[in-house]
Amino acid sequence: MIPSGLMSFPLTPFTPADEVDTHVFTDHVEDQLAHGPAALFVACGTGEYSSLSAPEYAELVRHAVRVVAGRVPVFAGAGGGLGNARAAVAAASDAGADGILLLPPYLVGGTEDGYLAYVESVAGAGRLPVLVYRRGLARIGVTTALRLLDVPQVAGIKEGEGDLDSMARTVTAVRTSGHARAETFAFLNGLPTAEVSATACRAIGIRDYSSAVLCFAPDIARAFHTALTTGDTATTDRLLAEFYLPLTALRDQVPGYAVSLVKAGARLRGLDVGHVRAPLVDAAPDHVDQLKDLLAQGRRALAETAGAGGGAAPAAAEGAGTVRTPGQGASAAPAVVAPAVAVAP
């Protein structure tokens, strides 16, 4: 089942000895849950899926399922070579995950027919609902999207290419196809720093998105989502201009910063998530300083917008080093959950 709302994509913390740190991961997941995501997607792109060994992956997903304990759905990443992707689906299913985000295959490209066969094979490795990530080598045109409706386990598409013209045609084609699943097939905005494209995506029928900012500035991410869904353009415009657009410019300076900056932000928040694994590189000190300034600027903009009558202020201001654990601080923001998408067995 694919819920609707703001989606969390937790980081994978590593110890100085380069082992997965499940203790920090627990704190991170609890902090995410406190801010009301509709679902958690673990061991995906932000969670450095491609760097995890099979045992690390299986334990991380099992641990996430234990920590979440049914409070929200837990999706796990899968992808890469066909054999690895199928094995990940089987491991996630055994670990109790609620669904799969199918990441693009690695290096080897092919036709849309070939990619459809890849999706069918991976989805067939388990009985979990699968979101197909349209990004990189994963090419999905209108015709292929319509054919995905006939793959029972495929519950929707996550858009990561940024071709809104193509996605608009895809959404319209699916919704007007007359297929039994036409209205329940999910579409998710998965572009890097998705808030920048959130308004445009909503205009073509893609209302839900994944937020990397939720990992390190959940107060800003939640306030933006609330403003977006309530039509508070004063808040969304101010946050875009003073936080999200400068953040995107900083992210684009170095390949891999879509993950590295998020980890740097989590460390600024007081969560010792450790380093990124190669080939990613950790954020440079001067870029971390810029990120710290951007966070202060974003929170200042948010406070000033609220003071001017905006309605999207967080329950309490959050600065660096304010990770909440259960029972501390303000109460969790409620998840925005629409009717779930059923996947045929």
Side-chain angles (χ1 to χ4, degrees):
M1 294 186 176
I2 311 299
S4 180
L6 185 63
M7 308 295 180
S8 167
F9 280 64
L11 298 156
T12 298
F14 298 117
T15 69
D18 199 36
E19 297 175 343
V20 173
D21 193 329
T22 55
H23 298 293
V24 174
F25 184 68
T26 296
D27 293 340
H28 183 35
V29 167
E30 289 289 2
D31 184 47
Q32 292 293 280
L33 292 173
H35 290 85
L40 260 70
F41 287 71
V42 300
C44 295
T46 309
E48 299 181 71
Y49 165 80
S50 63
S51 77
L52 300 174
S53 68
E56 287 175 333
Y57 171 86
E59 175 54 28
L60 192 70
V61 178
R62 278 196 300 269
H63 194 75
V65 170
R66 286 196 297 265
V67 173
V68 172
R71 285 176 282 179
V72 297
V74 175
F75 280 67
L82 182 59
N84 289 336
R86 287 177 57 87
V89 169
S93 180
D94 290 344
D98 299 292
I100 296 293
L101 174 63
L102 182 55
L103 304 167
Y106 174 72
L107 189 60
V108 179
T111 65
E112 289 200 27
D113 283 346
Y115 184 64
L116 178 65
Y118 173 85
V119 172
E120 291 173 331
S121 180
V122 176
R127 297 176 63 85
L128 298 176
V130 174
L131 270 176
V132 175
Y133 202 174
R134 179 181 183 260
R135 185 173 182 178
L137 295 172
R139 303 297 183 187
I140 303 173
V142 172
T143 300
T144 302
L146 291 172
R147 293 168 71 187
L148 287 175
L149 289 168
D150 293 322
V151 184
Q153 292 92 341
V154 175
I157 295 171
K158 183 184 182 189
E159 162 58 16
E161 280 292 310
D163 185 346
L164 295 182
D165 175 76
S166 175
M167 278 308 296
R169 287 186 278 113
T170 298
V171 172
T172 300
V174 167
R175 296 290 185 239
T176 60
S177 66
H179 196 281
R181 298 205 293 145
E183 291 302 318
T184 58
F185 196 77
F187 290 96
L188 177 66
N189 173 7
L191 289 165
T193 318
E195 286 87 349
V196 172
S197 59
T199 299
C201 282
R202 285 175 71 85
I204 63 172
I206 305 177
R207 301 176 61 85
D208 306 315
Y209 61 88
S210 57
S211 174
V213 172
L214 194 66
C215 285
F216 66 93
D219 53 327
I220 295 176
R222 173 53 65 187
F224 183 92
H225 185 265
T226 298
L228 181 71
T229 56
T230 59
D232 178 7
T233 56
T235 297
T236 55
D237 289 352
R238 183 80 182 270
L239 287 175
L240 283 170
E242 299 190 27
F243 177 72
Y244 283 104
L245 290 176
L247 175 66
T248 300
L250 180 59
R251 181 204 72 205
D252 288 347
Q253 290 190 36
V254 178
Y257 263 23
V259 177
S260 302
L261 275 182
V262 179
K263 276 202 162 177
R267 291 193 296 270
L268 288 173
R269 187 169 162 75
L271 195 69
D272 188 12
V273 292
H275 57 278
V276 294
R277 280 181 170 172
L280 299 177
V281 295
D282 288 314
D286 60 322
H287 291 155
V288 176
D289 289 341
Q290 291 179 47
L291 177 60
K292 186 175 182 179
D293 290 342
L294 280 177
L295 287 165
Q297 182 171 292
R299 291 189 171 106
R300 185 164 55 249
L302 186 58
E304 290 173 358
T305 303
E318 297 190 23
T322 57
V323 174
R324 289 190 186 132
T325 53
Q328 295 179 324
S331 59
V336 182
V337 180
V341 178
V343 178

